[in-house]
Structures are given as C-alpha cells and as structure tokens.
Amino acid sequence: MEDESSHSIKLVNFVSEQQLDEAKRTRGERIEDGTAQRDRPLYEILKENKDKKDAEFNERFKHRPPKALDEDETEFLDKLEM
C-alpha cells in the first residue's frame, strides 16, 4: 500500500460569521458572493449588456461598403428577373 500522506485531500475552508463581517467591512459588499443585493433584476442587467455588445458589433460594420456580387449571384439574380 502507498503511504497515505502522499494522497492530499483538499478540504473546503469554511468562513465564520465574524470572518465574513470582517471581509465585508474591509473590502465592501459584492454582488458576486451574495453580500450585496442587486438594485435591478438579473434579466435587465443581462439584456443591457447584450444590447451594448450588439450596438458595438453593429457600429464596427456600419461604415463598410456593401460586398460586391460574385458571378454566381449575378447570374441567379438575372434568372430571377426573367
């Protein structure tokens, strides 16, 4: 058998109420760890972030000229007109 000391077991470090209160006092409350409440629903925050990201994406491509049609596309449109 192998030596049991070679197997290390990671234990979860539990935090006491006093340690939590001390952490809140020194670094402030945070939404990520549940010590602060959100002022808006998560849905609104995620929708706002998505809208902002979409606006930035559209802004990058807004000033590009349209792509020229290739030969197959022009042939298809000619056939469609007839």
Side-chain angles (χ1 to χ4, degrees), residues 35-69:
T35 56
Q37 295 295 322
R38 290 184 173 90
D39 57 345
R40 298 179 310 180
L42 180 59
Y43 172 77
E44 288 180 12
I45 296 169
L46 293 175
K47 183 167 179 11
E48 180 181 301
N49 290 344
K50 183 184 180 306
D51 292 343
K52 190 184 309 180
K53 186 176 177 183
D54 289 345
E56 289 173 2
F57 179 80
N58 291 335
E59 184 67 28
R60 281 190 281 161
F61 296 104
K62 184 167 77 171
H63 302 293
R64 282 192 181 175
K67 179 187 93 145
L69 298 176

mmCIF file of all heavy atoms in Angstrom, residues 35-69:
data_model
loop_
_atom_site.group_PDB
_atom_site.id
_atom_site.type_symbol
_atom_site.label_atom_id
_atom_site.label_comp_id
_atom_site.label_asym_id
_atom_site.label_seq_id
_atom_site.Cartn_x
_atom_site.Cartn_y
_atom_site.Cartn_z
ATOM 1 N N THR A 35 -23.158 39.138 -0.807
ATOM 2 C CA THR A 35 -23.175 40.037 0.349
ATOM 3 C C THR A 35 -23.874 41.350 0.045
ATOM 4 O O THR A 35 -24.136 42.131 0.945
ATOM 5 C CB THR A 35 -21.741 40.315 0.840
ATOM 6 O OG1 THR A 35 -20.977 40.847 -0.241
ATOM 7 C CG2 THR A 35 -21.092 39.054 1.361
ATOM 8 N N ALA A 36 -24.155 41.619 -1.220
ATOM 9 C CA ALA A 36 -24.893 42.828 -1.598
ATOM 10 C C ALA A 36 -26.067 42.438 -2.478
ATOM 11 O O ALA A 36 -26.003 41.457 -3.216
ATOM 12 C CB ALA A 36 -23.971 43.794 -2.342
ATOM 13 N N GLN A 37 -27.118 43.200 -2.426
ATOM 14 C CA GLN A 37 -28.293 42.936 -3.249
ATOM 15 C C GLN A 37 -28.214 43.742 -4.541
ATOM 16 O O GLN A 37 -27.729 44.868 -4.550
ATOM 17 C CB GLN A 37 -29.567 43.323 -2.484
ATOM 18 C CG GLN A 37 -29.814 42.486 -1.256
ATOM 19 C CD GLN A 37 -30.081 41.035 -1.610
ATOM 20 O OE1 GLN A 37 -30.738 40.734 -2.591
ATOM 21 N NE2 GLN A 37 -29.549 40.127 -0.812
ATOM 22 N N ARG A 38 -28.728 43.160 -5.598
ATOM 23 C CA ARG A 38 -28.795 43.869 -6.872
ATOM 24 C C ARG A 38 -29.934 44.881 -6.811
ATOM 25 O O ARG A 38 -30.971 44.613 -6.231
ATOM 26 C CB ARG A 38 -29.059 42.889 -8.016
ATOM 27 C CG ARG A 38 -27.900 41.991 -8.307
ATOM 28 C CD ARG A 38 -28.231 41.135 -9.532
ATOM 29 N NE ARG A 38 -27.086 40.366 -9.941
ATOM 30 C CZ ARG A 38 -26.816 39.149 -9.498
ATOM 31 N NH1 ARG A 38 -27.611 38.564 -8.649
ATOM 32 N NH2 ARG A 38 -25.752 38.513 -9.910
ATOM 33 N N ASP A 39 -29.749 46.020 -7.451
ATOM 34 C CA ASP A 39 -30.812 47.009 -7.474
ATOM 35 C C ASP A 39 -31.788 46.766 -8.621
ATOM 36 O O ASP A 39 -32.859 47.340 -8.654
ATOM 37 C CB ASP A 39 -30.232 48.426 -7.572
ATOM 38 C CG ASP A 39 -29.339 48.600 -8.784
ATOM 39 O OD1 ASP A 39 -28.928 47.595 -9.387
ATOM 40 O OD2 ASP A 39 -29.051 49.761 -9.138
ATOM 41 N N ARG A 40 -31.404 45.902 -9.565
ATOM 42 C CA ARG A 40 -32.271 45.552 -10.690
ATOM 43 C C ARG A 40 -32.266 44.047 -10.868
ATOM 44 O O ARG A 40 -31.328 43.366 -10.451
ATOM 45 C CB ARG A 40 -31.748 46.186 -11.981
ATOM 46 C CG ARG A 40 -31.726 47.691 -11.937
ATOM 47 C CD ARG A 40 -31.187 48.251 -13.212
ATOM 48 N NE ARG A 40 -29.929 47.571 -13.528
ATOM 49 C CZ ARG A 40 -29.192 47.812 -14.579
ATOM 50 N NH1 ARG A 40 -29.552 48.701 -15.431
ATOM 51 N NH2 ARG A 40 -28.082 47.161 -14.810
ATOM 52 N N PRO A 41 -33.289 43.504 -11.547
ATOM 53 C CA PRO A 41 -33.294 42.060 -11.815
ATOM 54 C C PRO A 41 -32.148 41.676 -12.747
ATOM 55 O O PRO A 41 -31.698 42.481 -13.577
ATOM 56 C CB PRO A 41 -34.636 41.819 -12.490
ATOM 57 C CG PRO A 41 -35.460 43.014 -12.217
ATOM 58 C CD PRO A 41 -34.528 44.147 -11.962
ATOM 59 N N LEU A 42 -31.687 40.461 -12.594
ATOM 60 C CA LEU A 42 -30.584 39.960 -13.411
ATOM 61 C C LEU A 42 -30.927 40.015 -14.892
ATOM 62 O O LEU A 42 -30.076 40.320 -15.726
ATOM 63 C CB LEU A 42 -30.234 38.524 -12.992
ATOM 64 C CG LEU A 42 -29.100 37.851 -13.751
ATOM 65 C CD1 LEU A 42 -27.805 38.644 -13.610
ATOM 66 C CD2 LEU A 42 -28.910 36.436 -13.264
ATOM 67 N N TYR A 43 -32.190 39.743 -15.228
ATOM 68 C CA TYR A 43 -32.625 39.775 -16.627
ATOM 69 C C TYR A 43 -32.339 41.141 -17.255
ATOM 70 O O TYR A 43 -31.845 41.219 -18.376
ATOM 71 C CB TYR A 43 -34.123 39.456 -16.716
ATOM 72 C CG TYR A 43 -34.689 39.660 -18.087
ATOM 73 C CD1 TYR A 43 -34.472 38.724 -19.090
ATOM 74 C CD2 TYR A 43 -35.419 40.803 -18.401
ATOM 75 C CE1 TYR A 43 -34.972 38.915 -20.367
ATOM 76 C CE2 TYR A 43 -35.920 40.995 -19.676
ATOM 77 C CZ TYR A 43 -35.701 40.051 -20.655
ATOM 78 O OH TYR A 43 -36.185 40.243 -21.903
ATOM 79 N N GLU A 44 -32.637 42.220 -16.544
ATOM 80 C CA GLU A 44 -32.404 43.559 -17.078
ATOM 81 C C GLU A 44 -30.919 43.827 -17.278
ATOM 82 O O GLU A 44 -30.511 44.420 -18.279
ATOM 83 C CB GLU A 44 -32.993 44.611 -16.144
ATOM 84 C CG GLU A 44 -34.495 44.675 -16.154
ATOM 85 C CD GLU A 44 -35.024 45.732 -15.206
ATOM 86 O OE1 GLU A 44 -34.237 46.563 -14.706
ATOM 87 O OE2 GLU A 44 -36.243 45.722 -14.968
ATOM 88 N N ILE A 45 -30.111 43.388 -16.333
ATOM 89 C CA ILE A 45 -28.664 43.596 -16.440
ATOM 90 C C ILE A 45 -28.106 42.844 -17.637
ATOM 91 O O ILE A 45 -27.323 43.390 -18.428
ATOM 92 C CB ILE A 45 -27.969 43.150 -15.135
ATOM 93 C CG1 ILE A 45 -28.426 44.017 -13.971
ATOM 94 C CG2 ILE A 45 -26.449 43.197 -15.275
ATOM 95 C CD1 ILE A 45 -28.009 43.503 -12.612
ATOM 96 N N LEU A 46 -28.512 41.584 -17.815
ATOM 97 C CA LEU A 46 -28.021 40.792 -18.939
ATOM 98 C C LEU A 46 -28.508 41.354 -20.259
ATOM 99 O O LEU A 46 -27.757 41.393 -21.244
ATOM 100 C CB LEU A 46 -28.462 39.334 -18.786
ATOM 101 C CG LEU A 46 -27.851 38.577 -17.616
ATOM 102 C CD1 LEU A 46 -28.457 37.188 -17.519
ATOM 103 C CD2 LEU A 46 -26.353 38.501 -17.745
ATOM 104 N N LYS A 47 -29.759 41.815 -20.321
ATOM 105 C CA LYS A 47 -30.297 42.398 -21.555
ATOM 106 C C LYS A 47 -29.544 43.678 -21.906
ATOM 107 O O LYS A 47 -29.201 43.898 -23.072
ATOM 108 C CB LYS A 47 -31.787 42.691 -21.399
ATOM 109 C CG LYS A 47 -32.424 43.231 -22.662
ATOM 110 C CD LYS A 47 -33.916 43.207 -22.569
ATOM 111 C CE LYS A 47 -34.650 43.740 -23.755
ATOM 112 N NZ LYS A 47 -33.942 43.996 -24.950
ATOM 113 N N GLU A 48 -29.250 44.497 -20.922
ATOM 114 C CA GLU A 48 -28.496 45.725 -21.160
ATOM 115 C C GLU A 48 -27.100 45.412 -21.697
ATOM 116 O O GLU A 48 -26.629 46.049 -22.640
ATOM 117 C CB GLU A 48 -28.396 46.517 -19.864
ATOM 118 C CG GLU A 48 -27.647 47.818 -19.980
ATOM 119 C CD GLU A 48 -27.565 48.520 -18.651
ATOM 120 O OE1 GLU A 48 -28.637 48.812 -18.077
ATOM 121 O OE2 GLU A 48 -26.430 48.765 -18.185
ATOM 122 N N ASN A 49 -26.435 44.419 -21.113
ATOM 123 C CA ASN A 49 -25.104 44.026 -21.579
ATOM 124 C C ASN A 49 -25.153 43.503 -23.008
ATOM 125 O O ASN A 49 -24.275 43.800 -23.821
ATOM 126 C CB ASN A 49 -24.495 42.975 -20.659
ATOM 127 C CG ASN A 49 -24.127 43.547 -19.316
ATOM 128 O OD1 ASN A 49 -24.041 44.746 -19.137
ATOM 129 N ND2 ASN A 49 -23.921 42.670 -18.348
ATOM 130 N N LYS A 50 -26.191 42.717 -23.339
ATOM 131 C CA LYS A 50 -26.333 42.170 -24.688
ATOM 132 C C LYS A 50 -26.598 43.279 -25.693
ATOM 133 O O LYS A 50 -26.008 43.306 -26.777
ATOM 134 C CB LYS A 50 -27.459 41.145 -24.741
ATOM 135 C CG LYS A 50 -27.612 40.496 -26.109
ATOM 136 C CD LYS A 50 -28.793 39.563 -26.137
ATOM 137 C CE LYS A 50 -28.992 38.901 -27.461
ATOM 138 N NZ LYS A 50 -29.085 39.802 -28.586
ATOM 139 N N ASP A 51 -27.462 44.216 -25.348
ATOM 140 C CA ASP A 51 -27.756 45.334 -26.245
ATOM 141 C C ASP A 51 -26.514 46.180 -26.502
ATOM 142 O O ASP A 51 -26.260 46.614 -27.630
ATOM 143 C CB ASP A 51 -28.879 46.202 -25.665
ATOM 144 C CG ASP A 51 -30.221 45.490 -25.656
ATOM 145 O OD1 ASP A 51 -30.367 44.468 -26.372
ATOM 146 O OD2 ASP A 51 -31.122 45.943 -24.927
ATOM 147 N N LYS A 52 -25.719 46.398 -25.456
ATOM 148 C CA LYS A 52 -24.491 47.174 -25.602
ATOM 149 C C LYS A 52 -23.505 46.452 -26.524
ATOM 150 O O LYS A 52 -22.882 47.062 -27.392
ATOM 151 C CB LYS A 52 -23.861 47.396 -24.225
ATOM 152 C CG LYS A 52 -22.729 48.390 -24.228
ATOM 153 C CD LYS A 52 -22.059 48.519 -22.864
ATOM 154 C CE LYS A 52 -23.039 48.765 -21.759
ATOM 155 N NZ LYS A 52 -22.383 48.883 -20.438
ATOM 156 N N LYS A 53 -23.378 45.140 -26.352
ATOM 157 C CA LYS A 53 -22.470 44.348 -27.173
ATOM 158 C C LYS A 53 -22.932 44.342 -28.636
ATOM 159 O O LYS A 53 -22.122 44.479 -29.556
ATOM 160 C CB LYS A 53 -22.403 42.917 -26.640
ATOM 161 C CG LYS A 53 -21.397 42.048 -27.322
ATOM 162 C CD LYS A 53 -21.347 40.677 -26.664
ATOM 163 C CE LYS A 53 -20.402 39.763 -27.377
ATOM 164 N NZ LYS A 53 -20.381 38.423 -26.814
ATOM 165 N N ASP A 54 -24.250 44.197 -28.853
ATOM 166 C CA ASP A 54 -24.788 44.227 -30.217
ATOM 167 C C ASP A 54 -24.566 45.579 -30.871
ATOM 168 O O ASP A 54 -24.239 45.663 -32.066
ATOM 169 C CB ASP A 54 -26.276 43.886 -30.214
ATOM 170 C CG ASP A 54 -26.553 42.429 -29.912
ATOM 171 O OD1 ASP A 54 -25.606 41.609 -29.981
ATOM 172 O OD2 ASP A 54 -27.720 42.104 -29.602
ATOM 173 N N ALA A 55 -24.730 46.667 -30.129
ATOM 174 C CA ALA A 55 -24.523 48.005 -30.670
ATOM 175 C C ALA A 55 -23.067 48.198 -31.084
ATOM 176 O O ALA A 55 -22.786 48.761 -32.146
ATOM 177 C CB ALA A 55 -24.938 49.055 -29.652
ATOM 178 N N GLU A 56 -22.138 47.720 -30.265
ATOM 179 C CA GLU A 56 -20.714 47.820 -30.612
ATOM 180 C C GLU A 56 -20.403 47.011 -31.858
ATOM 181 O O GLU A 56 -19.645 47.448 -32.725
ATOM 182 C CB GLU A 56 -19.854 47.338 -29.444
ATOM 183 C CG GLU A 56 -19.845 48.261 -28.256
ATOM 184 C CD GLU A 56 -19.121 47.674 -27.066
ATOM 185 O OE1 GLU A 56 -18.570 46.545 -27.170
ATOM 186 O OE2 GLU A 56 -19.112 48.334 -26.010
ATOM 187 N N PHE A 57 -20.989 45.817 -31.972
ATOM 188 C CA PHE A 57 -20.767 44.967 -33.141
ATOM 189 C C PHE A 57 -21.297 45.646 -34.404
ATOM 190 O O PHE A 57 -20.618 45.694 -35.431
ATOM 191 C CB PHE A 57 -21.453 43.613 -32.931
ATOM 192 C CG PHE A 57 -21.309 42.673 -34.093
ATOM 193 C CD1 PHE A 57 -20.141 41.946 -34.271
ATOM 194 C CD2 PHE A 57 -22.334 42.510 -35.013
ATOM 195 C CE1 PHE A 57 -20.000 41.078 -35.336
ATOM 196 C CE2 PHE A 57 -22.210 41.653 -36.079
ATOM 197 C CZ PHE A 57 -21.033 40.933 -36.244
ATOM 198 N N ASN A 58 -22.517 46.180 -34.325
ATOM 199 C CA ASN A 58 -23.108 46.845 -35.486
ATOM 200 C C ASN A 58 -22.342 48.107 -35.871
ATOM 201 O O ASN A 58 -22.248 48.439 -37.053
ATOM 202 C CB ASN A 58 -24.578 47.173 -35.218
ATOM 203 C CG ASN A 58 -25.431 45.937 -35.158
ATOM 204 O OD1 ASN A 58 -25.095 44.907 -35.735
ATOM 205 N ND2 ASN A 58 -26.531 46.008 -34.431
ATOM 206 N N GLU A 59 -21.809 48.797 -34.899
ATOM 207 C CA GLU A 59 -21.047 50.024 -35.170
ATOM 208 C C GLU A 59 -19.785 49.716 -35.973
ATOM 209 O O GLU A 59 -19.386 50.484 -36.842
ATOM 210 C CB GLU A 59 -20.682 50.702 -33.848
ATOM 211 C CG GLU A 59 -19.979 52.022 -34.004
ATOM 212 C CD GLU A 59 -20.860 53.101 -34.609
ATOM 213 O OE1 GLU A 59 -22.091 53.050 -34.446
ATOM 214 O OE2 GLU A 59 -20.298 54.000 -35.260
ATOM 215 N N ARG A 60 -19.170 48.579 -35.712
ATOM 216 C CA ARG A 60 -17.950 48.209 -36.444
ATOM 217 C C ARG A 60 -18.225 47.989 -37.920
ATOM 218 O O ARG A 60 -17.389 48.286 -38.767
ATOM 219 C CB ARG A 60 -17.333 46.942 -35.855
ATOM 220 C CG ARG A 60 -16.551 47.194 -34.601
ATOM 221 C CD ARG A 60 -15.775 45.977 -34.209
ATOM 222 N NE ARG A 60 -16.695 45.050 -33.546
ATOM 223 C CZ ARG A 60 -16.472 43.769 -33.387
ATOM 224 N NH1 ARG A 60 -15.373 43.232 -33.834
ATOM 225 N NH2 ARG A 60 -17.348 43.003 -32.776
ATOM 226 N N PHE A 61 -19.395 47.433 -38.263
ATOM 227 C CA PHE A 61 -19.689 47.080 -39.644
ATOM 228 C C PHE A 61 -20.577 48.102 -40.349
ATOM 229 O O PHE A 61 -20.926 47.928 -41.501
ATOM 230 C CB PHE A 61 -20.342 45.695 -39.700
ATOM 231 C CG PHE A 61 -19.419 44.609 -39.224
ATOM 232 C CD1 PHE A 61 -19.577 44.031 -37.980
ATOM 233 C CD2 PHE A 61 -18.365 44.184 -40.021
ATOM 234 C CE1 PHE A 61 -18.718 43.039 -37.542
ATOM 235 C CE2 PHE A 61 -17.499 43.201 -39.597
ATOM 236 C CZ PHE A 61 -17.668 42.625 -38.346
ATOM 237 N N LYS A 62 -20.940 49.179 -39.655
ATOM 238 C CA LYS A 62 -21.853 50.157 -40.225
ATOM 239 C C LYS A 62 -21.217 50.911 -41.392
ATOM 240 O O LYS A 62 -21.889 51.217 -42.371
ATOM 241 C CB LYS A 62 -22.284 51.141 -39.137
ATOM 242 C CG LYS A 62 -23.312 52.153 -39.593
ATOM 243 C CD LYS A 62 -23.924 52.894 -38.428
ATOM 244 C CE LYS A 62 -22.994 53.940 -37.920
ATOM 245 N NZ LYS A 62 -23.629 54.819 -36.929
ATOM 246 N N HIS A 63 -19.958 51.196 -41.317
ATOM 247 C CA HIS A 63 -19.299 52.037 -42.302
ATOM 248 C C HIS A 63 -18.621 51.259 -43.430
ATOM 249 O O HIS A 63 -17.954 51.851 -44.264
ATOM 250 C CB HIS A 63 -18.282 52.945 -41.615
ATOM 251 C CG HIS A 63 -18.905 53.807 -40.560
ATOM 252 N ND1 HIS A 63 -19.793 54.808 -40.844
ATOM 253 C CD2 HIS A 63 -18.793 53.795 -39.210
ATOM 254 C CE1 HIS A 63 -20.194 55.385 -39.740
ATOM 255 N NE2 HIS A 63 -19.593 54.781 -38.720
ATOM 256 N N ARG A 64 -18.796 49.974 -43.449
ATOM 257 C CA ARG A 64 -18.201 49.173 -44.523
ATOM 258 C C ARG A 64 -19.068 49.247 -45.769
ATOM 259 O O ARG A 64 -20.294 49.212 -45.677
ATOM 260 C CB ARG A 64 -18.091 47.708 -44.109
ATOM 261 C CG ARG A 64 -16.948 47.442 -43.186
ATOM 262 C CD ARG A 64 -16.740 45.956 -43.064
ATOM 263 N NE ARG A 64 -15.639 45.681 -42.154
ATOM 264 C CZ ARG A 64 -15.283 44.490 -41.785
ATOM 265 N NH1 ARG A 64 -15.953 43.441 -42.197
ATOM 266 N NH2 ARG A 64 -14.269 44.310 -40.984
ATOM 267 N N PRO A 65 -18.420 49.325 -46.930
ATOM 268 C CA PRO A 65 -19.223 49.308 -48.160
ATOM 269 C C PRO A 65 -19.809 47.916 -48.378
ATOM 270 O O PRO A 65 -19.273 46.915 -47.889
ATOM 271 C CB PRO A 65 -18.211 49.644 -49.252
ATOM 272 C CG PRO A 65 -16.886 49.317 -48.673
ATOM 273 C CD PRO A 65 -17.009 49.469 -47.191
ATOM 274 N N PRO A 66 -20.929 47.838 -49.098
ATOM 275 C CA PRO A 66 -21.518 46.516 -49.342
ATOM 276 C C PRO A 66 -20.590 45.647 -50.179
ATOM 277 O O PRO A 66 -19.809 46.136 -50.997
ATOM 278 C CB PRO A 66 -22.818 46.817 -50.072
ATOM 279 C CG PRO A 66 -22.729 48.229 -50.494
ATOM 280 C CD PRO A 66 -21.686 48.913 -49.681
ATOM 281 N N LYS A 67 -20.686 44.374 -49.981
ATOM 282 C CA LYS A 67 -19.853 43.421 -50.703
ATOM 283 C C LYS A 67 -20.331 43.328 -52.158
ATOM 284 O O LYS A 67 -21.528 43.314 -52.431
ATOM 285 C CB LYS A 67 -19.968 42.049 -50.019
ATOM 286 C CG LYS A 67 -19.163 40.950 -50.686
ATOM 287 C CD LYS A 67 -19.465 39.630 -50.058
ATOM 288 C CE LYS A 67 -20.545 39.026 -50.873
ATOM 289 N NZ LYS A 67 -20.654 37.693 -51.122
ATOM 290 N N ALA A 68 -19.408 43.277 -53.078
ATOM 291 C CA ALA A 68 -19.758 43.139 -54.497
ATOM 292 C C ALA A 68 -20.288 41.730 -54.753
ATOM 293 O O ALA A 68 -19.859 40.760 -54.132
ATOM 294 C CB ALA A 68 -18.539 43.412 -55.365
ATOM 295 N N LEU A 69 -21.239 41.643 -55.678
ATOM 296 C CA LEU A 69 -21.804 40.337 -56.014
ATOM 297 C C LEU A 69 -20.821 39.568 -56.882
ATOM 298 O O LEU A 69 -20.187 40.127 -57.777
ATOM 299 C CB LEU A 69 -23.121 40.509 -56.773
ATOM 300 C CG LEU A 69 -24.237 41.221 -56.021
ATOM 301 C CD1 LEU A 69 -25.436 41.402 -56.937
ATOM 302 C CD2 LEU A 69 -24.640 40.434 -54.789
#
